[in-house]
Amino acid sequence: MKRSLFFLTIVALATPAFAASPKDEVQGAAKKLGATSYSWKTTVENAAGGGGGGGRGRGGAFGTGPMEGKAAQDGTVMITSTRGDTTTEVILRGEKGAVKTAEGWQSLAELAAARRSGDAVGGARAGRGGGAGAYRNFKAPAAQIEDLVSKLKDLKSVDGAYAGELTEEGAKSFLTTGGGRGGGNAPTITGAKGNAKFWVKDGIVSKYQYQIQGAVTGANGNERQVDRTTIVEIKDAGATKVEVPEEAKKKLS
C-alpha cells in the first residue's frame, strides 16, 4: 500500500500542470497586453474592394485607411487614422472622447449635437463616418483580441502562431456596417465566413490579423462583396507614453 501511494505521488509530481488551451493562451496574452501601455498600427487590405471596418471591426468611424494608435494603462486611447487626404485624430477614455477638428478639439457630445442639428464640424458633416456613436464603440487591440477569440470556432497552434475560423455569426458581426443599424434598414448578410491569426511574444500578443468574407445586400437591393483582411502590429508594450493635449483633456473631463 505504501509503495502504491509512493508511486502515485511520483507520478503526480512528474505530470505537468493542466495545460491552458490555445484560446486561454491568447486571451491571457490579450489581458496582459491590456494591463500595460502599448502602440499599434492597423492596415486593411480589401481584395474585393469592400469598404468599412478598418478600425472598429464593424465599419464606420475610421474607414479602411491605415491607423496608428496608443493605449495607456488607465484606458486612454489615442488614434490617428488616414482616409485619402484626410487625417483624423481621436482621443477616447471610457464613454468620453474628443475629436480634433478645424475649430479645435470637440467632445463626442458636441459632435453628436452637431449631427442632430445637421451642422458642419471641421469642414465636414458631424455624422459622416458613423458619428460619435461609432467612436464610442471603438475597441483597442487588447479588447478586440478578446472579442475575436470569443467568436472563433476553435484555435490551434500553427507554425508559431495561433489560428482559427470564425463562427458564421462572428463573421456576420464584422460585416455589419453603420454601427449595427436595425429594423428595415439592416443589411442582409450571406456567405459570411472568416478566420483569425495571433502571434504571441513574451507573453503578450505582438501581432494579429483577421480576414472577413461575405456578401452585404443593402435596403436598395445592391449587393457588395467583401473580402477584407485587417492586420494589427503591436509594439513598445510597457514603454508607450500617452500625452493628451490640454484642450482635449477639458473635453474628456
Side-chain angles (χ1 to χ4, degrees):
M1 182 67 176
K2 289 183 178 181
R3 291 185 63 185
S4 297
L5 289 173
F6 177 76
F7 176 76
L8 290 173
T9 300
I10 295 298
V11 170
L13 291 173
T15 302
F18 176 74
S21 69
K23 279 193 173 185
D24 290 337
E25 290 277 0
V26 176
Q27 291 281 32
K31 290 182 183 298
K32 187 174 180 180
L33 177 66
T36 189
S37 63
Y38 61 93
S39 302
W40 80 89
K41 181 177 181 179
T42 300
T43 54
V44 180
E45 299 172 356
N46 286 301
R56 195 163 51 91
R58 288 191 176 197
F62 301 100
T64 58
M67 174 201 299
E68 294 191 8
K70 296 180 179 180
Q73 286 178 289
D74 67 355
T76 302
V77 175
M78 298 183 68
I79 307 155
T80 302
S81 63
T82 304
R83 189 173 188 178
D85 296 328
T86 303
T87 297
T88 303
E89 293 181 60
V90 182
I91 299 176
L92 304 171
R93 183 183 293 158
E95 291 294 314
K96 296 183 178 181
V99 181
K100 191 174 183 179
T101 72
E103 287 78 30
W105 289 92
Q106 301 286 328
S107 70
L108 297 186
E110 289 170 330
L111 284 178
R115 183 184 186 185
R116 287 193 296 270
S117 64
D119 292 339
V121 177
R125 287 289 178 187
R128 188 176 180 179
Y135 294 121
R136 287 194 181 95
N137 291 328
F138 175 80
K139 290 182 179 178
Q144 190 181 58
I145 293 166
E146 292 192 60
D147 183 51
L148 269 170
V149 173
S150 72
K151 292 179 168 69
L152 293 172
K153 297 177 183 177
D154 56 15
L155 197 59
K156 299 178 180 179
S157 179
V158 181
D159 298 328
Y162 296 93
E165 292 186 7
L166 286 161
T167 63
E168 183 179 1
E169 288 304 311
K172 280 183 178 180
S173 72
F174 285 92
L175 286 167
T176 303
T177 58
R181 290 171 297 183
N185 292 324
T188 300
I189 308 295
T190 56
K193 61 181 180 179
N195 59 75
K197 196 170 185 179
F198 310 86
W199 288 261
V200 176
K201 183 179 180 181
D202 297 328
I204 64 173
V205 178
S206 59
K207 177 182 177 181
Y208 66 100
Q209 68 179 49
Y210 55 98
Q211 181 185 23
I212 307 298
Q213 296 175 306
V216 181
T217 304
N220 58 5
N222 292 336
E223 182 181 282
R224 175 170 57 89
Q225 292 293 327
V226 177
D227 184 352
R228 181 178 66 241
T229 300
T230 302
I231 304 163
V232 184
E233 299 173 277
I234 297 164
K235 62 180 181 178
D236 298 331
T240 295
K241 304 295 183 183
V242 179
E243 298 179 358
V244 180
E246 287 299 322
E247 186 182 352
K249 283 182 181 179
K250 297 176 183 178
K251 302 297 181 179
L252 297 172
S253 61

